Structure formats: structure tokens, C-alpha cells
DNA sequence: CGTCCTTTTGAAGAGAGTCAAACCCCGTGG
DNA sequence: CCACGGGGTTTGACTCTCTTCAAAAGGACG
């Protein structure tokens, strides 16, 4: 089914890693071989449970997974998403325990990540890890300082960018196998409010979402309020000067 | 001034790393030597600016710093805190650029981290990195699914635990050099609401905060709605004891 | 003693949550 | 073929947490 969008499903990993570092043909062959014995994980199944001992690193070949944290009272937070092309590694440590539970959010296919024998692969893994950290930072900024409208927009942009890296996204669209409730759990919102915000975005004409396919209008792409500049001495600056959170498509009242 | 709480300021790093892995005397000596030529960073000064090339890893000897992200319109989010004993590393990568700006939130003292020549040091660094990731996850869960009251409580608990690892915290108190506004920027709240929530906590008798020193009543320690709070302790084997008598409304509706 | 921050306080508003019911789409099975 | 279920999506009405916008009150310090 995904095939309608991405032509060669089995190679999302090598496409992504090739984009992150200079890979040789042997490197690619190694990755290709690794995909021969994929592990299937059906929707809603836990791949790794927090606190358990971890196996080696994995590659996501297909499907979406999420690092999730569950509160005792049932609240849930999705910490990050894992999509095709991603490398799943637990920070090496004397006691290698998983720091979070990883759940399949759609039927997924994974395989063990081949050990980095070459400098190319090693660099690719390193770059992938750096990106992962980058997305964590972005998630924090999103939850901490963005409105619901902005969170969804920013998240859609991030996912599109990530899926594009793996070659599984169209120029302005991608397959989105999540429910609005899951989206809410990732963005710190209720499914009801996710729904209402999506409707607002549709009304604003910046987004289409039918049958699990998201299509984003170009304008949506432009609205990134973060864009960091030197933090400088703003830490010490009086609060009075700092702007308030714009809502809606705003975002452009930003003084670049 | 910090001396009133921790007796030997120069060794926060070796104390913390000793707790994370089995260090030999030469290891500790190496760390000790590294602290001989500290770098001073005054409050509000940027240590590293996002996008710049990075130097090597650093050790925080004293003071608090924060990874911060600034929006174009002035909104600010503090992604994570760096406190004495912490190791600052940028994910190695072909193009080693900083993923976020690091700003001193109080006068701080740092030094270059000695390269891990021994297995002990290597493990300590790895454990430290794992903990760092753990705190990022926790920060996400905090911002995404906790109320203001819970966020502050959870954050205070985390900081106490971290400072205790470095030996710079009392049994139920620690020095907190941040303003309420900075706290708000870390927890995704306004300084006004931080203030009001703190007052509520004082009224509830679970917290004192005078003159930059926070004192937490034992009960406060127990209110962690996250099911997974043992994770950090698992990484840092020699951890403190944690009780968990239930406490405070909104948390006790937790079902195992 | 005035200035600059930070902390408090107040009143009013708005974004997001809650609760509940209706609606829809689809696969199932009578 | 169509009623039946069940998950996901929509809607509506109401509540409440947290934000806004001032402005006053402390406090540290030259």
C-alpha cells in the first residue's frame, strides 16, 4: 500500500544513510543484506519495554514506531517517533537497559543494524544519532513553547522532512498512519483538540488529510517560529521585551 | 557561597562519575588534573552557540547552564540544564556543529573533559550520556503531560537527584540559582504562573524556597506520576533510596 | 536613595480540557 | 444485501488551567 508513494520500500535505510554520509557500494550491500531477515512487529505491539535489557541497534525498514512513556494514571506521552530509515540505538552503558518503551504505531518491519565496519557507515550512524538528538530538542521546544496550531504544523513539517530523507514522502505529501489520539499523545494535546485544530488548518487551506495521506500547502512549510539565532545575553534580558505566542498561522510577526 | 552546602567544590565531577562507574585512582587523578585550568563563564554568557563548530567535551565544575532555544519572536525554551558534575558532549559527527546554544544561567566554571583512557572513565562517560538522554525524555513527558504543579515538583525532584549525584545537595535541599522566569522558560510556563504555583506548593507545605535555597518536604519526593522513575537510578547503580507514599491530589488517581 | 531586577498580586481573557453523544467508515456475518 | 459492531472522527456545551497586561512591592547594590 505504501508503494504508491515510495517505489522501493526495502531500501529506506540505505537511502537515508546515504544522505547522511558517503557510503561505498560494500556499505550499501551490507545494509541490503541486513534487510533480508526482517522482524515484523504488528500495530500496538511493544518492540522494547522500558527497563528491559536491550539487544543491539535496529534499523526501521517500514512502518512507524514511537518511544512512549506511560504514567501510572494512564496519561501517555509519545517521546519521539521512529520511521523508515531510522536507526534505533540505546546509549551504550554498563547496564544496557532501555530508557523508554518502543511501541509499533503501525505494522512495522525492522532488522538488526549491521556493525559499522567502514568509516562511511560509522559516520552515517553518528549523523543519524545527531539527528535523533536534534529531533528531541525540537520536540521539547514544541511542547514547551508552541500553541496547538503551531505544534501540529511544526510536527508535520518535521515528519515530512524525515520521511523525505528516507525517500518515502512525496514533494508535499506523505502517508500518516496515526490516529488523532496518538498525535495528541505526542503533542501534549487531547484528541478532541487535535481534531479541532486540524479543522482550523483545513479551513485555512494549508493542509489536506484524507485517507491517511497528508498533503501540505507550500505556505505551511514557511512557518517555523524557531529558527535560532544567537541567544546572546537575552537570558539576562528583562521579560518585558520578549514577545508573546502568536496563534494561528501568524508566526511571521517574527522579527528575523 | 556554594561552599556552605558542598564541602569540596572542585570535585563535583569526580564524585558524580565515581557514582556512575568504577573509577581507579589514576582516573580520579586525571579528572583532578583537568580541573586545574578551569574556564570561567559569567551569568548570561553563551558558552556555545547553536550552529557553531564545537570544541571537545567539557566538564561542569560549578554553576548552572542551560541548553536554550530562542524563537524568532522572542519566546524561549530551555531544553535542558547542565549542573556540576555533568559532562557536555556534542554528538560526534562529520560536521561537528552545536545542536543548541548553551548559556550560563549562573556564574559557571568548566574545564575540558579528559579523554577516556581507561575503561572506567569510558564507562562513566557512557553512563553520563545515558543519563542525559534519560533527562531529555523526562523533560518531554513533563512538558507534554503534566500540570504546572506537577512539572515544578517533578523538575525539583530531578534537580535534587542530579545535584545529589554530584554531592552538591543536602538531604532535602539544594541551591537554586535560577529566577522564576528562567524556570518558566524551562517548564513551558509564564513566570507569573510559576510564581503562583510555587505559592500553592508553599501553602501545601511541601516546599520552602528562600534566598536561593530550595528545601523540599519528604512528601514532595513521592509525587511522581510517571511510572518509570526508576530509570535514572538503574543507570546510576549507587542511587538513593526512594519511598513512594502517595501524595497530593491529581496524582493519586494513578492505577498501577 | 534611586535604579534595576525579581517577586507578588489583581482582574480579565483565551486556549485547551472534559464529558458525552452523534456520526462515519468498514469489515463482519446473518 | 443490509443490520451490527467497533474504532476513529466530529460536535456541542461547559469548565478550568494558564496566559495577559498592568502595576505594586521587595531587595540588592552603587
Amino acid at each position: 500500500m505504501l508503494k504508491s508513494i515510495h517505489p522501493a520500500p526495502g531500501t529506506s535505510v540505505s537511502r537515508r544513510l546515504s544522505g547522511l554520509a558517503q557510503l561505498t557500494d560494500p556499505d550499501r550491500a551490507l545494509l541490503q543484506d541486513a534487510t533480508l531477515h526482517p522482524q515484523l512487529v504488528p500495530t500496538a505491539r511493544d518492540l522494547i519495554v522500558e527497563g528491559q535489557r536491550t539487544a543491539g541497534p535496529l534499523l526501521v525498514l517500514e512502518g512507524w514506531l514511537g518511544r512512549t512513556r506511560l504514567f501510572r494514571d494512564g496519561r501517555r506521552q509519545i517521546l519521539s517517533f521512529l520511521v523508515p530509515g531510522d536507526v534505533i540505538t540505546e546509549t551504550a552503558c554498563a547496564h544496557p537497559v532501555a530508557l523508554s518503551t518502543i511501541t509499533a504505531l503501525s505494522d512495522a518491519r525492522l532488522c538488526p543494524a549491521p556493525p559499522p565496519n567502514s568509516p562511511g557507515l560509522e559516520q552515517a550512524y553518528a549523523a543519524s544519532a545527531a539527528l535523533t538528538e536534534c529531533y528531541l530538542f525540537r520536540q521539547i521546544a514544541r511542547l514547551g513553547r508552541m500553541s496547538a496550531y503551531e505544534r501540529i504544523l511544526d510536527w508535520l513539517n518535521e515528519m515530512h522532512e524525515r520521511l523525505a530523507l528516507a525517500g518515502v514522502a512525496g514533494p508535499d505529501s506523505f502517508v500518516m498512519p496515526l490516529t488523532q489520539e496518538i498525535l495528541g499523545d505526542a503533542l501534549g494535546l487531547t484528541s478532541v483538540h487535535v481534531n479541532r485544530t486540524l479543522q482550523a488548518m483545513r479551513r485555512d487551506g494549508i493542509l489536506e488529510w484524507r485517507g491517511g495521506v497528508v498533503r501540505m500547502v507550500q505556505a505551511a512549510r514557511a512557518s517555523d517560529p524557531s529558527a535560532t539565532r544567537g541567544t546572546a545575553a537575552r537570558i539576562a534580558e528583562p521579560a518585558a521585551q520578549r514577545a508573546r505566542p502568536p496563534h494561528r498561522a501568524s508566526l511571521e510577526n517574527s522579527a528575523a
Side-chain angles (χ1 to χ4, degrees), chain A:
Chain A
M1 50 172 66
L2 291 184
K3 285 176 187 165
S4 58
I5 282 201
H6 62 282
T11 63
S12 56
V13 171
S14 76
R15 266 197 299 265
R16 176 165 181 269
L17 294 186
S18 295
L20 296 182
Q22 197 70 359
L23 293 192
T24 63
D25 282 339
D27 290 337
R28 267 183 282 269
L30 193 63
L31 290 174
Q32 193 62 46
D33 288 348
T35 69
L36 291 181
H37 305 292
Q39 170 184 7
L40 297 176
V41 184
T43 305
R45 172 76 51 80
D46 283 348
L47 171 66
I48 294 175
V49 174
E50 181 166 346
Q52 283 187 353
R53 304 205 72 225
T54 61
L58 298 171
L59 302 177
V60 180
L61 302 177
E62 195 174 1
W64 290 37
L65 304 97
R67 283 187 190 271
T68 63
R69 185 151 292 188
L70 207 57
F71 289 24
R72 293 207 215 92
D73 62 8
R75 281 178 285 181
R76 180 174 62 188
Q77 177 64 41
I78 295 181
L79 307 169
S80 68
F81 289 97
L82 299 161
V83 296
D86 280 351
V87 183
I88 305 179
T89 57
E90 292 294 332
T91 309
C93 173
H95 302 286
V97 294
L99 297 181
S100 64
T101 296
I102 298 183
T103 306
L105 302 174
S106 73
D107 290 341
R109 220 172 55 207
L110 306 96
C111 72
N117 300 324
S118 72
L121 257 190
E122 199 159 345
Q123 276 199 9
Y125 285 166
S128 179
L131 266 184
T132 296
E133 188 177 23
C134 196
Y135 296 138
L136 282 185
F137 288 163
R138 188 163 170 181
Q139 168 79 334
I140 291 174
R142 195 153 45 209
L143 293 176
R145 285 303 185 207
M146 291 191 193
S147 68
Y149 198 100
E150 294 172 303
R151 283 183 212 182
I152 294 180
L153 212 48
D154 182 66
W155 181 82
L156 287 171
N157 279 142
E158 177 183 312
M159 293 321 293
H160 181 264
E161 171 189 319
R162 291 174 61 173
L163 295 171
L165 269 183
V168 293
D172 61 350
S173 68
F174 58 91
V175 172
M176 227 290 293
L178 308 184
T179 65
Q180 296 179 0
E181 182 170 10
I182 290 180
L183 198 45
D185 280 338
L187 299 180
L189 303 168
T190 61
S191 60
V192 172
H193 201 244
V194 167
N195 181 285
R196 291 184 168 129
T197 308
L198 285 174
Q199 289 176 55
M201 294 171 73
R202 280 191 279 244
R203 267 195 301 278
D204 293 348
I206 66 174
L207 171 72
E208 285 175 52
W209 179 350
R210 289 192 316 270
V213 175
V214 173
R215 177 172 306 280
M216 305 177 65
V217 172
Q218 192 56 357
R221 215 64 59 70
S223 32
D224 179 0
S226 62
T228 44
R229 56 165 175 203
T231 303
R234 274 188 155 273
I235 280 286
E237 226 166 79
Q241 314 265 348
R242 298 221 305 281
R244 69 218 215 67
H247 262 275
R248 284 328 194 67
S250 51
L251 309 190
E252 73 295 23
N253 54 359
S254 312

